[in-house]
Amino acid sequence: VQLQASGGGLVQVGGSLRLSCVVSGRTSSAYVMGWFRQAPGKEREFVAAISPSGINTYYVDSVKGRFTISRDNAKNTVYLQMTSLKPGDTAVYYCAVKVGRWPGEVLLVRWDLYDYYGQGTLVTVSS
């Protein structure tokens, strides 16, 4: 299984970006997709996740109301629409796959419990 993240770039405060992550090597869409980020000098943190059907989503508090995660299972792609971007959103964003059903919020935020990871895409928010 391979994950290819894209869509990062340089954007001004208040701007928007849409990240994409294409999953290849799987014929089934029965997996949870998550986005994590790591800012310079900081630990990696959970951002958002979406269930296999797309019905369930979960966000870290700092992005609620600004970021939207979605998926297109026909294209094996998950998206992270980011709006009202702030300098604190500057980070490398990683997508990740957790095979199986929605595990619950406590487990969703754990990077180590995902099965496959993308290479990351850099988002820089300038003021």
Side-chain angles (χ1 to χ4, degrees), residues 35-37 44-46 94-96 107-118:
W35 285 98
F36 292 78
R37 67 185 180 185
R44 187 181 295 111
E45 69 168 345
F46 170 82
Y94 300 89
C95 55
L107 299 180
L108 281 172
V109 302
R110 288 185 52 179
W111 171 261
D112 61 309
L113 295 185
Y114 284 72
D115 300 294
Y116 304 99
Y117 306 93

Side-chain angles (χ1 to χ4, degrees), residues 75 86 110 124:
K75 296 181 179 180
K86 306 175 181 180
R110 288 185 52 179
T124 304

Side-chain angles (χ1 to χ4, degrees), residues 11-91:
V11 64
Q12 292 186 333
V13 170
S16 300
L17 279 176
R18 188 178 79 158
L19 306 183
S20 300
C21 179
V22 179
V23 180
S24 60
R26 277 189 63 87
T27 58
S28 169
S29 61
Y31 51 85
V32 173
M33 289 295 302
W35 285 98
F36 292 78
R37 67 185 180 185
Q38 187 166 20
K42 295 187 177 181
E43 294 187 353
R44 187 181 295 111
E45 69 168 345
F46 170 82
V47 177
I50 187 166
S51 63
S53 65
I55 293 176
N56 299 103
T57 58
Y58 182 63
Y59 300 89
V60 67
D61 285 346
S62 60
V63 308
K64 284 180 180 178
R66 301 188 299 121
F67 290 12
T68 302
I69 189 171
S70 61
R71 64 191 292 165
D72 184 338
N73 287 338
K75 296 181 179 180
N76 290 328
T77 302
V78 64
Y79 305 98
L80 186 67
Q81 178 68 50
M82 307 185 294
T83 63
S84 302
L85 283 162
K86 306 175 181 180
D89 296 317
T90 295

